[in-house]
């Protein structure tokens, strides 16, 4: 088999077989196929596309290019959750203890990632002492003992995807739905869960800006997951404004804790219940999503979900007192609140721009080497559709540097819009895909 022939086949609109895709991925991972040939192949796929079977086989080949985590010694149906990411997305922090409190074993691998704020791992490191650098043995033992563990992605998780994603990033071949779906799902399949619930974001702060693209991506990922024998569904959720009110790291952790204390913002609570219900049903702890939502709400009311978070933080070396006394968390020392000048309704919040405000404050990573300031962030007092009176607070910034604060404030002015009329309401949950 020669890579040259495979490139030609795809360039001419042919269909690659399982053997050809496996040859391509294994020889690319071990360095025998050079980047220039793989770039040509990615561009051929970009223009010619892949059918369902090709997409599944490419995903399986990438998933199997490194370690496939075996979670069979954890009792019960293991359910994983993945979000395509967005501004203020602290969902895993609240959702995983809620679901674990319902008796679903949650064994989750998370990343740091680049972006407006840190990833789940960075946010968890807001708890002093917390570590996600745990062995696979501790990871599995902890899930069996307390029902929840989160570890950093191992180096050998889908290495083919790591190499290929870096290549796509510099060859203008990222934004192809089949390639994105296989990239994300290869890591999920290698992470070993029996069932997967995906949160596919849509809107100005999402990777996929258009709803039709988000649905198409969701469908491809669900087909891959189910095709690989893992029960998979996808919730398509709004990211046209930040999720909840808090954007940053420590500030998002606090909002997640508030949520587990029964004081969460409506949109965030709705998303956690929707995703949580799918996880609880997939884990066979409830027969339908209404019963599952009721169960999840009970776990908040009784404090079991909050206790689960404390137990999890403690098991991974963190200080559980921060869970029960979140005032222990320290924000950056400059606090600045912006007040509204006019009366009106919040008509639009440019979500991506709000993310950039957080980045400007130092709350996110521009390159893999950037340091994150966990203590900075912003709190939106008003969301789209809210009424605003003159002199009411609109946003509070937490900054550690005046210059960075001013840059974020300047950017915010162009991102937050108040109009005289109430905007049409828009749904948080756009749909759920099961097949
Ligand atoms: N995230 C991924 O992991 N892969 C892609 O291709 C795009 C986003």
């Amino acid at each position: 088999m020669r890579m040259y022939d495979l490139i030609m086949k795809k360039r001419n609109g042919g269909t690659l077989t399982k053997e050809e895709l496996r040859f391509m991925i294994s020889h690319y991972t071990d360095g025998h196929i050079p980047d220039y040939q793989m770039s040509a192949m990615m561009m051929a796929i970009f223009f010619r596309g892949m059918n369902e079977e090709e997409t599944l086989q490419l995903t399986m080949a990438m998933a199997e290019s490194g370690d496939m985590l075996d979670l069979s010694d954890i009792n019960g149906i293991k359910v994983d959750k993945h979000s395509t990411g967005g501004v203020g997305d602290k969902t895993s922090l609240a959702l995983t203890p809620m679901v674990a409190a319902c008796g679903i074993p949650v064994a989750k691998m998370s990343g740091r990632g680049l972006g407006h704020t840190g990833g789940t791992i960075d946010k968890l490191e807001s708890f002093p002492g917390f570590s996600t650098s745990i062995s696979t043995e501790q990871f599995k033992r902890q899930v069996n003992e307390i029902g929840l563990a989160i570890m950093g992605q191992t180096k050998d998780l889908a290495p083919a995807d790591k190499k290929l994603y870096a290549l796509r990033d510099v060859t203008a071949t990222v934004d192809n739905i089949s390639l994105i779906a296989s990239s994300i799902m290869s890591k999920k399949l290698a992470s070993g869960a029996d069932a997967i619930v995906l949160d596919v974001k849509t809107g100005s702060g999402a990777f996929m800006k258009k709803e039709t693209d988000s649905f198409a991506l969701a469908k491809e990922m669900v087909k891959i997951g189910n095709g690989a024998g893992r029960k998979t569904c996808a919730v398509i959720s709004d990211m046209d404004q930040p999720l909840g009110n808090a954007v940053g790291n420590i500030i998002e952790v606090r909002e997640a804790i508030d949520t587990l204390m029964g004081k969460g913002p409506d949109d965030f609570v709705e998303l956690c219940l929707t995703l949580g219900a799918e996880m609880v049903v997939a884990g066979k702890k409830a027969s339908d999503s209404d019963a599952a939502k009721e169960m999840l709400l009970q776990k908040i009311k009784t404090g079991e979900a909050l206790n689960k978070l404390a137990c999890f933080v403690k098991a991974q070396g963190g200080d559980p007192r921060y869970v029960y006394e979140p005032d222990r968390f320290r924000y950056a020392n400059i606090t600045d609140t912006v007040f509204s000048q006019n009366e009106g309704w919040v008509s639009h919040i440019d979500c991506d721009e709000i993310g950039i405000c957080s980045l400007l404050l130092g709350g996110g990573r521009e390159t893999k080497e950037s340091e994150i300031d966990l203590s900075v962030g912003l709190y939106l007092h008003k969301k789209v559709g809210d009424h605003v009176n003159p002199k009411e607070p609109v946003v509070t910034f937490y900054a550690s540097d005046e210059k960075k604060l001013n840059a974020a404030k300047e950017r915010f002015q162009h991102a937050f819009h108040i109009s005289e009329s109430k905007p049409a309401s828009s749904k948080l949950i756009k749909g759920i895909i099961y097949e």
Side-chain angles (χ1 to χ4, degrees):
M1 215 179 276
R2 290 193 318 154
M3 184 62 176
Y4 178 92
D5 299 323
L6 304 189
I7 297 169
M8 175 104 87
K9 186 176 184 187
K10 187 42 86 183
R11 190 201 69 183
N12 293 342
T15 301
L16 298 172
T17 64
K18 174 178 171 178
E19 291 67 35
E20 288 168 339
L21 287 160
R22 287 194 167 257
F23 167 87
M24 173 178 105
I25 289 301
S26 68
H27 286 81
Y28 180 60
T29 311
D30 68 17
H32 285 101
I33 291 176
D35 278 348
Y36 53 82
Q37 281 194 309
M38 194 49 122
S39 310
M41 175 59 92
M42 289 297 109
M43 196 55 89
I45 291 177
F46 186 91
F47 283 114
R48 290 295 191 173
M50 287 189 294
N51 67 24
E52 217 175 282
E53 184 59 19
E54 282 177 297
T55 309
L56 173 61
Q57 293 308 335
L58 174 66
T59 312
M60 294 303 297
M62 292 205 294
E64 288 166 16
S65 66
D67 292 340
M68 296 287 280
L69 201 60
D70 178 5
L71 301 180
S72 58
D73 34 350
I74 299 175
N75 311 318
I77 303 173
K78 279 74 67 184
V79 188
D80 197 358
K81 169 258 166 192
H82 176 80
S83 159
T84 58
V87 182
D89 188 5
K90 71 283 295 172
T91 312
S92 291
L93 303 174
L95 178 63
T96 52
M98 282 165 67
V99 171
C102 294
I104 311 281
V106 181
K108 185 163 173 49
M109 277 201 190
S110 282
R112 294 188 188 277
L114 302 178
H116 302 131
T117 64
T120 300
I121 289 193
D122 300 292
K123 288 172 193 167
L124 282 169
E125 284 173 355
S126 303
F127 290 101
F130 191 94
S131 171
T132 50
S133 306
I134 55 175
S135 67
T136 312
E137 285 64 41
Q138 180 187 340
F139 180 67
K140 294 188 205 174
R141 197 180 338 112
Q142 190 177 311
V143 180
N144 265 334
E145 282 169 11
I146 65 163
L148 170 59
I150 299 185
M151 73 187 280
Q153 282 171 3
T154 56
K155 203 164 73 299
D156 216 26
L157 187 86
D161 172 65
K162 208 169 279 163
K163 203 168 167 193
L164 205 49
Y165 191 23
L167 183 74
R168 286 166 54 218
D169 208 20
V170 292
T171 54
T173 50
V174 167
D175 52 343
N176 170 277
I177 288 188
S178 301
L179 290 176
I180 298 171
S182 60
S183 164
I184 294 174
M185 291 305 288
S186 66
K187 290 168 282 211
K188 287 289 111 184
L189 298 183
S191 303
D194 305 308
I196 303 164
V197 174
L198 301 162
D199 179 12
V200 180
K201 306 286 191 190
T202 192
S204 66
F207 189 61
M208 289 284 158
K209 312 274 181 224
K210 289 198 237 141
E211 213 168 299
T212 45
D213 289 342
S214 304
F215 271 86
L217 177 63
K219 280 185 188 147
E220 289 235 17
M221 291 199 288
V222 168
K223 270 189 203 138
I224 294 171
N226 288 328
R230 320 286 176 94
K231 189 172 162 39
T232 305
C233 75
V235 171
I236 294 92
S237 72
D238 183 63
M239 194 31 81
D240 227 16
Q241 64 171 329
L243 182 63
N245 301 81
V247 181
N249 294 284
I250 282 180
I251 193 167
E252 289 193 27
V253 173
R254 286 207 59 167
E255 190 162 74
I257 292 174
D258 283 347
T259 303
L260 296 178
M261 289 177 167
K263 300 178 288 187
D266 291 348
D267 60 343
F268 184 53
V269 173
E270 183 184 349
L271 184 65
C272 287
L273 290 178
T274 307
L275 293 167
E278 295 305 326
M279 294 174 79
V280 170
V281 172
K284 296 200 171 16
K285 295 289 177 191
S287 54
D288 61 46
S289 71
D290 285 343
K293 281 182 189 170
E294 196 42 52
M295 190 185 272
L296 289 158
L297 279 170
Q298 276 304 319
K299 299 298 171 190
I300 292 179
K301 267 195 201 132
T302 57
E304 287 169 84
L306 190 71
N307 290 343
K308 189 60 80 181
L309 176 67
C311 211
F312 155 65
V313 166
K314 184 160 181 245
Q316 293 193 211
D319 186 342
R321 290 176 302 171
Y322 281 68
V323 173
Y324 298 111
E325 301 158 39
D327 284 341
R328 286 177 176 272
F329 283 113
R330 286 276 159 259
Y331 291 155
N333 53 5
I334 307 174
T335 304
D336 194 331
T337 298
V338 174
F339 295 87
S340 162
Q341 288 171 357
N342 309 313
E343 183 183 348
W345 305 84
V346 182
S347 56
H348 174 63
I349 301 176
D350 187 322
C351 193
D352 217 19
E353 287 292 307
I354 299 293
I356 291 171
C357 292
S358 160
L359 195 60
L360 290 170
L361 290 168
R365 241 184 226 103
E366 266 172 292
T367 68
K368 273 191 210 152
E369 288 71 37
S370 317
E371 286 272 318
I372 283 192
D373 186 346
L374 296 172
S375 68
V376 300
L378 58 95
Y379 186 89
L380 292 166
H381 298 277
K382 299 285 175 182
K383 300 277 301 273
V384 172
D386 286 347
H387 184 258
V388 192
N389 287 311
K391 302 204 178 104
E392 263 198 291
V394 165
V395 62
T396 298
F397 291 95
Y398 299 92
S400 46
D401 174 316
E402 289 285 353
K403 241 187 177 160
K404 290 181 180 171
L405 170 68
N406 290 335
K409 280 174 76 179
E410 164 75 25
R411 200 87 185 206
F412 184 82
Q413 276 182 2
H414 306 288
F416 195 88
H417 303 272
I418 294 177
S419 74
E420 283 176 6
S421 52
K422 192 170 183 190
S425 58
S426 113
K427 284 198 293 197
L428 176 74
I429 307 299
K430 310 288 182 190
I432 306 183
I433 307 276
Y434 294 99
E435 56 188 34

